[in-house]
Coordinates of all heavy atoms in Angstrom, one line a residue:
M26 N 33.7 10.1 -1.0 CA 33.8 10.9 -2.3 C 33.9 9.9 -3.4 O 34.6 8.9 -3.4 CB 35.0 11.7 -2.2 CG 35.2 12.6 -3.4 SD 36.6 13.8 -3.1 CE 37.4 13.6 -4.6
L27 N 33.2 10.2 -4.5 CA 33.3 9.3 -5.7 C 34.3 9.9 -6.7 O 34.3 11.0 -7.0 CB 31.9 9.2 -6.3 CG 30.8 8.5 -5.5 CD1 29.5 8.6 -6.3 CD2 31.2 7.1 -5.3
A28 N 35.2 9.0 -7.1 CA 36.2 9.4 -8.1 C 35.7 9.3 -9.5 O 36.2 10.0 -10.4 CB 37.4 8.5 -7.9
Q29 N 34.7 8.4 -9.7 CA 34.1 8.3 -11.1 C 32.7 7.9 -11.0 O 32.2 7.5 -10.0 CB 34.9 7.2 -11.9 CG 34.7 5.8 -11.3 CD 35.6 4.8 -12.0 OE1 36.6 5.1 -12.5 NE2 35.0 3.6 -12.1
E30 N 32.0 8.1 -12.2 CA 30.6 7.8 -12.2 C 30.5 6.3 -12.1 O 31.2 5.5 -12.7 CB 30.0 8.2 -13.5 CG 28.5 7.9 -13.6 CD 27.9 8.5 -14.9 OE1 28.2 9.7 -15.2 OE2 27.2 7.8 -15.6
M31 N 29.5 5.8 -11.3 CA 29.4 4.4 -11.0 C 28.4 3.8 -12.0 O 28.5 2.6 -12.4 CB 28.9 4.2 -9.6 CG 30.0 4.6 -8.5 SD 29.4 4.5 -6.8 CE 29.1 2.8 -6.7
T32 N 27.3 4.5 -12.3 CA 26.2 3.9 -13.1 C 25.8 4.9 -14.2 O 25.5 6.0 -13.8 CB 25.0 3.5 -12.2 OG1 25.4 2.7 -11.2 CG2 23.9 2.9 -13.1
P33 N 25.9 4.6 -15.4 CA 26.2 3.2 -16.0 C 27.7 3.0 -16.1 O 28.1 1.9 -16.6 CB 25.5 3.3 -17.3 CG 25.4 4.7 -17.7 CD 25.3 5.5 -16.4
G34 N 28.5 3.9 -15.7 CA 30.0 3.7 -15.8 C 30.7 4.9 -16.4 O 30.0 5.9 -16.8
A35 N 32.0 4.8 -16.5 CA 32.8 5.9 -17.0 C 32.5 6.3 -18.4 O 32.4 7.5 -18.8 CB 34.3 5.6 -16.9
S36 N 32.2 5.3 -19.3 CA 31.9 5.6 -20.7 C 30.4 5.6 -20.8 O 29.7 4.5 -20.7 CB 32.5 4.5 -21.6 OG 32.0 4.6 -22.9
V37 N 29.8 6.7 -21.0 CA 28.3 6.9 -21.0 C 27.8 7.3 -22.4 O 28.2 8.3 -22.9 CB 27.9 7.9 -20.0 CG1 26.4 8.0 -20.0 CG2 28.4 7.6 -18.6
S38 N 27.0 6.4 -22.9 CA 26.3 6.8 -24.2 C 24.9 6.9 -23.9 O 24.4 6.5 -22.8 CB 26.5 5.7 -25.2 OG 25.8 4.5 -24.8
D39 N 24.1 7.5 -24.8 CA 22.7 7.6 -24.7 C 22.1 6.3 -24.5 O 21.1 6.1 -23.7 CB 22.1 8.4 -25.9 CG 22.4 9.9 -25.8 OD1 22.9 10.3 -24.8 OD2 22.1 10.5 -26.8
A40 N 22.6 5.3 -25.2 CA 22.0 3.9 -25.1 C 22.3 3.3 -23.7 O 21.4 2.7 -23.1 CB 22.6 3.0 -26.2
D41 N 23.4 3.6 -23.2 CA 23.7 3.1 -21.8 C 22.7 3.8 -20.8 O 22.2 3.1 -19.9 CB 25.1 3.5 -21.4 CG 26.2 2.8 -22.1 OD1 25.9 1.6 -22.6 OD2 27.3 3.3 -22.3
L42 N 22.6 5.1 -20.9 CA 21.7 5.8 -20.0 C 20.2 5.2 -20.1 O 19.6 5.0 -19.1 CB 21.7 7.3 -20.3 CG 22.9 8.1 -19.8 CD1 22.8 9.5 -20.3 CD2 23.0 8.0 -18.3
E43 N 19.8 5.1 -21.4 CA 18.4 4.6 -21.6 C 18.3 3.2 -21.0 O 17.3 2.9 -20.3 CB 18.1 4.5 -23.1 CG 16.6 4.1 -23.3 CD 16.3 4.2 -24.8 OE1 17.0 5.0 -25.6 OE2 15.3 3.6 -25.2
S44 N 19.3 2.3 -21.2 CA 19.2 1.0 -20.6 C 19.1 1.0 -19.1 O 18.3 0.3 -18.5 CB 20.4 0.2 -21.1 OG 20.5 -1.0 -20.4
V45 N 19.9 1.8 -18.5 CA 19.9 1.9 -17.0 C 18.6 2.5 -16.5 O 18.0 2.0 -15.5 CB 21.1 2.8 -16.5 CG1 20.9 3.1 -15.0 CG2 22.4 2.1 -16.7
I46 N 18.1 3.5 -17.2 CA 16.9 4.1 -16.7 C 15.7 3.1 -16.8 O 15.0 2.9 -15.9 CB 16.6 5.4 -17.5 CG1 17.6 6.5 -17.2 CG2 15.1 5.8 -17.3 CD1 17.5 7.7 -18.1
L47 N 15.6 2.4 -18.0 CA 14.5 1.5 -18.2 C 14.7 0.3 -17.2 O 13.6 -0.2 -16.7 CB 14.5 1.0 -19.6 CG 14.1 2.0 -20.7 CD1 14.2 1.4 -22.1 CD2 12.7 2.5 -20.4
G48 N 15.9 -0.1 -16.9 CA 16.1 -1.2 -16.0 C 15.8 -0.9 -14.5 O 15.7 -1.8 -13.7
N49 N 15.8 0.4 -14.2 CA 15.6 0.8 -12.8 C 14.3 1.5 -12.5 O 14.0 1.9 -11.4 CB 16.8 1.6 -12.3 CG 18.0 0.8 -12.2 OD1 18.2 0.1 -11.2 ND2 18.9 0.9 -13.2
L50 N 13.5 1.6 -13.5 CA 12.2 2.3 -13.3 C 11.3 1.4 -12.4 O 11.3 0.2 -12.5 CB 11.4 2.5 -14.6 CG 11.8 3.6 -15.5 CD1 11.0 3.6 -16.8 CD2 11.6 4.9 -14.8
D51 N 10.7 2.1 -11.5 CA 9.8 1.4 -10.5 C 8.6 2.3 -10.3 O 8.7 3.5 -10.0 CB 10.5 1.1 -9.2 CG 9.8 0.2 -8.3 OD1 8.5 0.1 -8.4 OD2 10.4 -0.4 -7.5
A52 N 7.4 1.7 -10.4 CA 6.2 2.5 -10.2 C 6.0 2.9 -8.7 O 5.2 3.8 -8.4 CB 5.0 1.7 -10.6
Y53 N 6.7 2.2 -7.8 CA 6.7 2.6 -6.4 C 5.2 2.5 -5.9 O 4.7 3.4 -5.3 CB 7.2 4.0 -6.1 CG 7.8 4.2 -4.7 CD1 8.8 3.5 -4.2 CD2 7.2 5.3 -4.0 CE1 9.2 3.7 -2.9 CE2 7.7 5.5 -2.7 CZ 8.7 4.7 -2.2 OH 9.2 5.0 -0.9
T54 N 4.6 1.4 -6.2 CA 3.1 1.3 -6.0 C 2.7 1.2 -4.6 O 3.5 0.6 -3.8 CB 2.6 0.1 -6.8 OG1 3.3 -1.0 -6.4 CG2 2.6 0.3 -8.3
H55 N 1.6 1.7 -4.2 CA 1.0 1.6 -2.9 C -0.4 1.1 -3.1 O -1.4 1.8 -3.0 CB 1.0 2.9 -2.2 CG 2.3 3.4 -1.8 ND1 3.4 3.6 -2.7 CD2 2.8 3.8 -0.6 CE1 4.4 4.0 -2.0 NE2 4.1 4.1 -0.7
P56 N -0.5 -0.2 -3.4 CA -1.9 -0.7 -3.8 C -2.9 -0.7 -2.6 O -2.5 -0.9 -1.5 CB -1.6 -2.2 -4.2 CG -0.3 -2.5 -3.6 CD 0.5 -1.2 -3.5
T57 N -4.1 -0.3 -2.9 CA -5.2 -0.2 -1.9 C -6.5 -0.6 -2.6 O -6.5 -0.7 -3.8 CB -5.4 1.2 -1.3 OG1 -5.9 2.1 -2.4 CG2 -4.1 1.8 -0.8
S58 N -7.5 -0.8 -1.8 CA -8.9 -0.7 -2.2 C -9.3 -1.9 -3.1 O -10.2 -1.7 -3.9 CB -9.2 0.6 -2.9 OG -8.6 1.7 -2.2
T59 N -8.7 -3.1 -2.9 CA -9.1 -4.2 -3.7 C -10.3 -5.0 -3.1 O -10.9 -5.8 -3.7 CB -7.9 -5.2 -3.9 OG1 -7.3 -5.5 -2.6 CG2 -6.8 -4.6 -4.8
A60 N -10.5 -4.7 -1.8 CA -11.7 -5.2 -1.1 C -12.4 -4.1 -0.3 O -12.4 -4.1 0.9 CB -11.3 -6.4 -0.2
P61 N -12.9 -3.1 -1.1 CA -13.3 -1.9 -0.4 C -14.5 -2.0 0.5 O -15.3 -2.9 0.3 CB -13.6 -1.0 -1.6 CG -14.0 -1.9 -2.7 CD -13.1 -3.1 -2.5
M62 N -14.5 -1.1 1.6 CA -15.7 -1.1 2.4 C -16.8 -0.3 1.8 O -16.5 0.6 1.0 CB -15.3 -0.5 3.8 CG -14.9 0.9 3.8 SD -14.7 1.6 5.5 CE -13.2 0.8 6.0
G63 N -18.0 -0.6 2.2 CA -19.1 0.2 1.6 C -20.3 -0.8 1.3 O -20.1 -2.0 1.2
D64 N -21.5 -0.2 1.1 CA -22.6 -1.0 0.8 C -22.5 -1.8 -0.5 O -22.9 -2.9 -0.6 CB -23.9 -0.1 0.7 CG -24.2 0.6 2.0 OD1 -23.8 0.0 3.0 OD2 -24.9 1.6 2.0
D65 N -21.8 -1.3 -1.5 CA -21.5 -2.0 -2.7 C -20.2 -2.6 -2.7 O -19.7 -3.2 -3.7 CB -21.6 -1.0 -3.9 CG -23.0 -0.4 -4.1 OD1 -24.0 -1.1 -3.7 OD2 -23.1 0.7 -4.6
G66 N -19.4 -2.6 -1.6 CA -18.1 -3.1 -1.5 C -18.0 -4.5 -1.0 O -19.0 -5.3 -1.0
V67 N -16.9 -4.9 -0.4 CA -16.6 -6.2 0.1 C -16.8 -6.3 1.6 O -17.3 -7.3 2.1 CB -15.2 -6.6 -0.3 CG1 -14.8 -8.0 0.3 CG2 -15.1 -6.7 -1.8
V68 N -16.5 -5.2 2.4 CA -16.6 -5.3 3.8 C -17.4 -4.1 4.4 O -17.6 -3.1 3.7 CB -15.2 -5.2 4.5 CG1 -14.3 -6.4 4.1 CG2 -14.5 -3.9 4.3
Y69 N -17.9 -4.3 5.5 CA -18.6 -3.2 6.3 C -17.5 -2.3 6.9 O -16.4 -2.7 6.9 CB -19.5 -3.8 7.4 CG -20.6 -4.7 6.9 CD1 -20.6 -6.0 7.0 CD2 -21.8 -4.1 6.4 CE1 -21.6 -6.9 6.6 CE2 -22.8 -4.9 5.9 CZ -22.7 -6.3 6.0 OH -23.8 -7.0 5.6
S70 N -18.0 -1.2 7.5 CA -17.0 -0.2 8.0 C -16.3 -0.8 9.2 O -15.3 -0.2 9.7 CB -17.7 1.1 8.4 OG -18.7 0.8 9.4
N71 N -16.7 -1.9 9.8 CA -16.0 -2.6 10.9 C -15.1 -3.7 10.4 O -14.5 -4.4 11.2 CB -17.0 -3.1 11.9 CG -17.9 -4.2 11.4 OD1 -17.8 -4.6 10.2 ND2 -18.9 -4.6 12.2
G72 N -14.9 -3.8 9.1 CA -14.0 -4.8 8.5 C -14.7 -6.2 8.3 O -14.0 -7.0 7.6
R73 N -15.9 -6.4 8.7 CA -16.5 -7.7 8.5 C -16.9 -7.8 7.1 O -17.4 -6.9 6.4 CB -17.7 -7.8 9.4 CG -17.4 -7.8 10.9 CD -18.5 -8.3 11.8 NE -18.1 -8.2 13.2 CZ -17.2 -9.0 13.8 NH1 -16.7 -10.0 13.2 NH2 -16.9 -8.8 15.1
V74 N -16.7 -9.0 6.5 CA -16.9 -9.3 5.1 C -18.4 -9.6 4.9 O -19.0 -10.4 5.6 CB -16.1 -10.5 4.6 CG1 -16.4 -10.8 3.2 CG2 -14.6 -10.2 4.8
H75 N -19.0 -8.9 3.9 CA -20.4 -9.1 3.6 C -20.7 -10.6 3.4 O -20.0 -11.2 2.5 CB -20.8 -8.4 2.3 CG -20.7 -6.9 2.5 ND1 -21.0 -6.0 1.4 CD2 -20.3 -6.1 3.5 CE1 -20.8 -4.8 1.8 NE2 -20.4 -4.8 3.0
G76 N -21.6 -11.1 4.1 CA -22.1 -12.5 3.7 C -21.3 -13.6 4.3 O -21.6 -14.8 4.0
I77 N -20.2 -13.3 5.0 CA -19.3 -14.4 5.5 C -19.1 -14.2 7.0 O -18.3 -13.3 7.4 CB -18.0 -14.5 4.8 CG1 -18.2 -14.7 3.3 CG2 -17.1 -15.7 5.4 CD1 -16.9 -14.8 2.5
A78 N -19.8 -14.9 7.9 CA -19.7 -14.7 9.3 C -18.4 -15.0 9.8 O -17.7 -16.0 9.4 CB -20.8 -15.6 10.0
G79 N -17.8 -14.2 10.7 CA -16.6 -14.5 11.4 C -15.3 -14.1 10.6 O -14.2 -14.3 11.1
L80 N -15.5 -13.5 9.4 CA -14.3 -13.2 8.6 C -14.2 -11.6 8.5 O -15.2 -10.9 8.2 CB -14.4 -13.7 7.2 CG -13.2 -13.4 6.3 CD1 -11.9 -14.0 6.8 CD2 -13.5 -13.9 4.9
M81 N -13.0 -11.1 8.9 CA -12.8 -9.7 8.9 C -11.5 -9.4 8.0 O -10.6 -10.3 8.0 CB -12.5 -9.1 10.3 CG -13.7 -9.2 11.2 SD -13.3 -8.5 12.8 CE -13.4 -6.7 12.4
V82 N -11.5 -8.3 7.4 CA -10.3 -7.9 6.7 C -9.9 -6.5 7.2 O -10.8 -5.6 7.3 CB -10.5 -7.8 5.1 CG1 -9.3 -7.3 4.4 CG2 -11.0 -9.1 4.6
V83 N -8.7 -6.3 7.6 CA -8.3 -5.0 8.1 C -6.9 -4.8 7.6 O -5.8 -5.1 8.2 CB -8.2 -5.0 9.7 CG1 -7.9 -3.6 10.2 CG2 -9.6 -5.4 10.3
D84 N -6.8 -4.2 6.4 CA -5.6 -3.8 5.8 C -5.9 -2.7 4.7 O -7.0 -2.2 4.6 CB -4.8 -5.0 5.2 CG -5.6 -5.7 4.2 OD1 -6.5 -5.2 3.6 OD2 -5.2 -6.9 3.9
A85 N -4.9 -2.4 3.9 CA -5.0 -1.3 2.9 C -6.1 -1.7 1.9 O -6.6 -0.8 1.2 CB -3.7 -1.1 2.3
S86 N -6.4 -3.0 1.8 CA -7.4 -3.4 0.7 C -8.8 -2.8 1.0 O -9.6 -2.7 0.1 CB -7.4 -4.9 0.6 OG -8.0 -5.5 1.7
I87 N -9.1 -2.5 2.3 CA -10.5 -2.1 2.6 C -10.7 -0.6 2.4 O -11.8 -0.2 2.6 CB -11.0 -2.6 4.0 CG1 -10.2 -1.9 5.1 CG2 -10.8 -4.1 4.1 CD1 -10.8 -2.2 6.5
M88 N -9.7 0.1 2.1 CA -9.9 1.6 1.9 C -10.9 1.7 0.7 O -10.7 1.1 -0.3 CB -8.6 2.2 1.5 CG -7.6 2.2 2.7 SD -6.0 2.9 2.2 CE -5.0 2.5 3.6
P89 N -11.9 2.6 0.9 CA -12.9 2.7 -0.1 C -12.4 3.3 -1.4 O -12.9 3.1 -2.5 CB -14.0 3.6 0.5 CG -13.6 3.8 1.9 CD -12.2 3.3 2.1
G90 N -11.3 4.1 -1.3 CA -10.7 4.7 -2.4 C -9.2 4.9 -2.1 O -8.8 4.8 -0.9
I91 N -8.4 5.3 -3.1 CA -7.0 5.5 -2.9 C -6.8 6.8 -2.1 O -7.3 7.8 -2.6 CB -6.3 5.6 -4.2 CG1 -6.4 4.3 -5.0 CG2 -4.8 5.9 -4.0 CD1 -6.0 4.3 -6.4
P92 N -6.2 6.7 -0.9 CA -6.1 8.0 -0.1 C -4.9 8.9 -0.7 O -4.0 8.4 -1.3 CB -5.7 7.5 1.3 CG -4.9 6.2 1.0 CD -5.6 5.6 -0.2
S93 N -5.1 10.2 -0.4 CA -4.0 11.1 -0.8 C -2.9 11.1 0.3 O -1.9 11.7 0.1 CB -4.5 12.5 -1.1 OG -5.2 12.9 0.0
A94 N -3.2 10.5 1.5 CA -2.3 10.4 2.6 C -1.4 9.2 2.5 O -1.7 8.3 1.7 CB -3.0 10.4 3.9
P95 N -0.3 9.1 3.2 CA 0.5 7.9 3.2 C -0.3 6.7 3.6 O -1.0 6.7 4.6 CB 1.6 8.2 4.2 CG 1.7 9.7 4.2 CD 0.3 10.2 4.0
T96 N -0.1 5.6 2.8 CA -1.0 4.4 3.0 C -0.6 3.6 4.2 O -1.5 2.9 4.8 CB -1.0 3.6 1.8 OG1 0.3 3.3 1.3 CG2 -1.8 4.2 0.6
N97 N 0.6 3.6 4.7 CA 1.0 2.8 5.9 C 0.3 3.5 7.1 O -0.4 2.8 7.9 CB 2.5 2.8 6.1 CG 2.9 1.9 7.2 OD1 2.2 1.0 7.6 ND2 4.1 2.2 7.8
L98 N 0.4 4.8 7.2 CA -0.3 5.5 8.3 C -1.8 5.3 8.3 O -2.4 5.1 9.3 CB 0.1 7.0 8.2 CG 1.6 7.3 8.4 CD1 1.8 8.8 8.2 CD2 2.0 6.9 9.8
T99 N -2.3 5.4 7.1 CA -3.8 5.2 6.9 C -4.2 3.8 7.3 O -5.2 3.6 8.0 CB -4.2 5.5 5.5 OG1 -3.5 6.7 5.0 CG2 -5.7 5.7 5.3
T100 N -3.4 2.8 7.0 CA -3.7 1.4 7.3 C -3.7 1.2 8.8 O -4.6 0.6 9.4 CB -2.7 0.5 6.7 OG1 -2.7 0.7 5.3 CG2 -3.0 -1.0 7.0
M101 N -2.7 1.8 9.5 CA -2.6 1.7 10.9 C -3.8 2.4 11.6 O -4.3 1.9 12.6 CB -1.3 2.3 11.4 CG -0.1 1.4 11.1 SD 1.4 1.9 12.0 CE 1.9 3.4 11.1
M102 N -4.2 3.6 11.1 CA -5.3 4.3 11.6 C -6.6 3.4 11.5 O -7.4 3.3 12.5 CB -5.5 5.6 10.9 CG -6.7 6.4 11.4 SD -7.3 7.6 10.2 CE -8.0 6.5 9.0
I103 N -6.8 2.8 10.3 CA -8.0 1.9 10.2 C -7.9 0.8 11.2 O -8.9 0.5 11.8 CB -8.0 1.4 8.7 CG1 -8.3 2.5 7.7 CG2 -9.0 0.3 8.6 CD1 -8.1 2.1 6.3
A104 N -6.8 0.2 11.3 CA -6.6 -1.0 12.2 C -6.9 -0.5 13.7 O -7.6 -1.3 14.4 CB -5.2 -1.5 12.1
E105 N -6.4 0.6 14.1 CA -6.7 1.1 15.4 C -8.2 1.4 15.7 O -8.7 1.0 16.7 CB -5.8 2.3 15.8 CG -4.3 1.9 15.9 CD -3.4 3.1 16.3 OE1 -4.0 4.2 16.6 OE2 -2.2 2.9 16.3
H106 N -8.8 2.0 14.7 CA -10.2 2.3 14.8 C -11.0 1.0 14.9 O -11.9 0.9 15.7 CB -10.7 3.1 13.6 CG -10.5 4.6 13.8 ND1 -11.4 5.4 14.5 CD2 -9.5 5.4 13.5 CE1 -10.9 6.7 14.5 NE2 -9.8 6.7 13.9
I107 N -10.7 0.0 14.1 CA -11.5 -1.2 14.1 C -11.2 -2.0 15.3 O -12.1 -2.6 15.9 CB -11.2 -2.0 12.8 CG1 -11.9 -1.3 11.6 CG2 -11.8 -3.4 12.9 CD1 -11.7 -1.9 10.2
A108 N -10.0 -2.0 15.8 CA -9.6 -2.7 17.0 C -10.4 -2.2 18.2 O -10.9 -2.9 19.0 CB -8.1 -2.6 17.3
V109 N -10.5 -0.8 18.3 CA -11.3 -0.2 19.3 C -12.8 -0.7 19.3 O -13.4 -1.1 20.3 CB -11.3 1.3 19.2 CG1 -12.3 2.0 20.1 CG2 -9.9 1.8 19.6
R110 N -13.3 -0.8 18.1 CA -14.7 -1.2 17.9 C -14.9 -2.7 18.3 O -15.9 -3.1 18.9 CB -15.2 -1.0 16.5 CG -15.3 0.4 16.1 CD -15.8 0.6 14.7 NE -15.6 1.9 14.2 CZ -15.9 2.4 13.0 NH1 -16.5 1.5 12.1 NH2 -15.7 3.6 12.6
V111 N -13.9 -3.5 17.9 CA -14.0 -5.0 18.2 C -13.9 -5.2 19.7 O -14.7 -5.9 20.3 CB -12.8 -5.7 17.5 CG1 -12.7 -7.1 18.0 CG2 -13.1 -5.7 16.0
F112 N -13.0 -4.5 20.4 CA -12.8 -4.7 21.8 C -14.0 -4.1 22.6 O -14.4 -4.6 23.6 CB -11.5 -4.2 22.3 CG -10.3 -5.0 21.9 CD1 -9.4 -4.5 21.1 CD2 -10.3 -6.3 22.3 CE1 -8.3 -5.3 20.6 CE2 -9.2 -7.1 21.9 CZ -8.2 -6.6 21.0
A113 N -14.6 -3.0 22.0 CA -15.7 -2.4 22.7 C -16.9 -3.3 22.6 O -17.8 -3.3 23.5 CB -16.0 -1.0 22.0
A114 N -17.0 -4.1 21.5 CA -18.2 -4.9 21.3 C -18.0 -6.3 22.1 O -19.0 -7.0 22.3 CB -18.3 -5.2 19.8
A115 N -16.8 -6.6 22.5 CA -16.5 -7.9 23.1 C -17.0 -7.9 24.6 O -17.1 -6.9 25.2 CB -15.1 -8.2 23.0
Ligands
LIG24 C1 8.8 0.7 -1.2 C2 7.6 1.2 -0.4 C3 7.7 2.3 0.4 C4 6.6 2.7 1.2 N1 6.8 3.8 1.9 C5 5.7 4.3 2.7 C6 5.9 5.4 3.5 O1 6.9 6.1 3.6 N2 4.8 5.8 4.2 C7 3.6 5.2 4.2 O2 2.7 5.6 4.9 N3 3.4 4.1 3.4 C8 4.5 3.6 2.7 N4 4.4 2.5 1.9 C9 3.1 1.8 1.8 C10 2.8 0.9 3.0 O3 4.0 0.1 3.2 C11 1.6 0.0 2.7 O4 0.5 0.8 2.2 C12 1.1 -0.8 3.9 O5 2.2 -1.5 4.5 C13 -0.1 -1.7 3.6 O6 -0.4 -2.4 4.7 P1 -1.1 -3.8 4.5 O7 -1.3 -4.4 5.9 O8 -2.3 -3.7 3.7 O9 -0.1 -4.8 3.7 P2 1.4 -5.3 4.1 O10 2.1 -4.3 5.0 O11 2.0 -5.6 2.8 O12 1.1 -6.6 5.0 C14 0.8 -7.8 4.4 C15 1.4 -8.9 5.3 O13 0.8 -10.1 4.9 C16 1.8 -11.1 4.8 N5 1.4 -12.1 3.9 C17 1.3 -12.1 2.5 N6 0.8 -13.2 2.1 C18 0.6 -14.0 3.1 C19 0.1 -15.3 3.3 N7 -0.3 -16.1 2.3 N8 0.1 -15.9 4.5 C20 0.5 -15.1 5.6 N9 0.9 -13.9 5.5 C21 1.0 -13.3 4.3 C22 3.1 -10.3 4.3 O14 4.3 -11.0 4.6 C23 2.9 -9.0 5.1 O15 3.5 -9.0 6.3 C24 5.4 2.0 1.1 C25 5.3 0.9 0.3 C26 6.4 0.5 -0.4 C27 6.3 -0.8 -1.2

């Protein structure tokens, strides 16, 4: 149980609140798609990088666009799909 307000403290002014809010704002970013797959993108659908033999990228960067689903799950799904293709081809 809390006996008093902890942040910004017992004496609260609008300036105190504004300062705390601005100091704690976070965009909570989930960056994706900086090396997107596709004909005009960076990697093929199997993660191989266009024009560079032996180099693959398998992470959130290869998503062709920002997904509306959770990006960690989407990243794992991409990794599992590509791993199946890599092992099937080996
Ligand atoms: C606060 C927060 C909460 C989130 N919550 C969720 C959630 O609830 N559900 C969800 O689905 N997604 C969530 N996400 C998003 C999810 O974590 C990411 O989308 C996902 O982890 C991206 O996977 P990735 O493999 O592309 O990158 P990362 O998971 O960031 O993996 C990159 C790895 O590369 C390593 N690395 C970096 N530079 C180097 C280097 N030079 N040499 C060697 N290794 C290096 C890093 O240490 C790291 O292990 C959250 C993200 C954040 C920040």
Side-chain angles (χ1 to χ4, degrees):
M26 184 172 133
L27 293 176
Q29 65 182 33
E30 182 175 313
M31 295 174 66
T32 304
S36 171
V37 181
S38 69
D39 286 349
D41 292 332
L42 284 174
E43 185 174 337
S44 171
V45 169
I46 291 168
L47 290 176
N49 288 281
L50 279 178
D51 190 335
Y53 204 59
T54 52
H55 289 57
T57 70
S58 317
T59 52
M62 67 173 70
D64 293 339
D65 297 331
V67 175
V68 300
Y69 297 104
S70 60
N71 61 5
R73 297 195 183 284
V74 176
H75 296 180
I77 303 178
L80 180 62
M81 298 180 74
V82 178
V83 185
D84 61 18
S86 71
I87 70 172
M88 294 176 191
I91 301 169
S93 56
T96 47
N97 187 23
L98 296 175
T99 315
T100 305
M101 288 192 285
M102 181 203 70
I103 291 170
E105 288 183 8
H106 275 275
I107 290 181
V109 166
R110 292 180 195 180
V111 167
F112 288 118

